[in-house]
Amino acid sequence: MKPITIEEVQPLINQFAKQPVYIHLETTNGAYASHFDQSFFSASAYIRNANVTYEHGKIIGEGPFRAGLKIEIGWVYAEGLTHFELDQEGRLLLAGHGFDGKLAVALEISKTPFE
C-alpha cells in the first residue's frame, strides 16, 4: 500500500461512482486488546458486501484523510485513512493505520463481492 495523496485517490474513487459496487467497511481499536488488558474498552464496526450505488465520492484532509461516498439517502464514510492500493482485481483498498502500525479502519470498494 502507498501513502494516500488526494491527487491519486480521488480519480480512483470517481471510477466506481454511479454503478453498483460492493463496500467493505471495518473499524477497530483493537478487538483483542481487552484479552490482555481488561480495562481496555474495545469497539469496532464491520460491514462486508454492502451493495450500494454512490452518486459521488470525495476524499478530504491533509492526512489522515476522510473518504465519503454519497448514496441515495445518506453517506458512507471512513476517517483516519492513511494508505491505499488498487489491487490486481481492480478493487480500491483504503486503510488507516495507527501510530503503532496496526489497522484501525478500512474502506474497500469493488465491482464484485468480496470473498
Side-chain angles (χ1 to χ4, degrees):
M1 300 191 92
K2 296 170 46 179
I4 288 175
T5 66
I6 291 176
E7 294 76 21
E8 289 182 282
V9 173
Q10 185 62 58
L12 297 174
I13 291 173
N14 295 345
Q15 279 183 209
F16 291 93
K18 300 180 180 172
Q19 60 186 306
V21 293
Y22 296 90
I23 299 292
H24 173 85
L25 176 63
E26 179 175 358
T27 180
T28 181
N29 65 351
Y32 300 103
S34 59
H35 293 293
F36 302 107
D37 179 359
Q38 293 190 353
S39 67
F40 183 83
F41 182 79
S42 177
S44 63
Y46 182 91
I47 300 172
R48 189 164 186 88
N49 287 323
N51 189 230
V52 303
T53 299
Y54 61 89
E55 299 167 13
H56 64 273
K58 187 84 175 167
I59 186 162
I60 61 172
E62 297 178 11
F65 298 89
R66 181 185 342 182
L69 309 175
K70 174 69 175 97
I71 58 177
E72 184 177 358
I73 57 170
W75 286 87
V76 173
Y77 84 87
E79 187 164 351
L81 300 167
T82 57
H83 291 80
F84 81 101
E85 175 182 331
L86 189 66
D87 75 4
Q88 294 176 349
E89 297 180 39
R91 303 177 298 193
L92 178 58
L93 313 176
L94 301 168
H97 297 102
F99 298 120
D100 57 2
K102 293 181 182 173
L103 180 67
V105 61
L107 173 62
E108 303 175 354
I109 306 168
S110 174
K111 293 180 181 178
T112 59
F114 294 96
E115 294 179 13

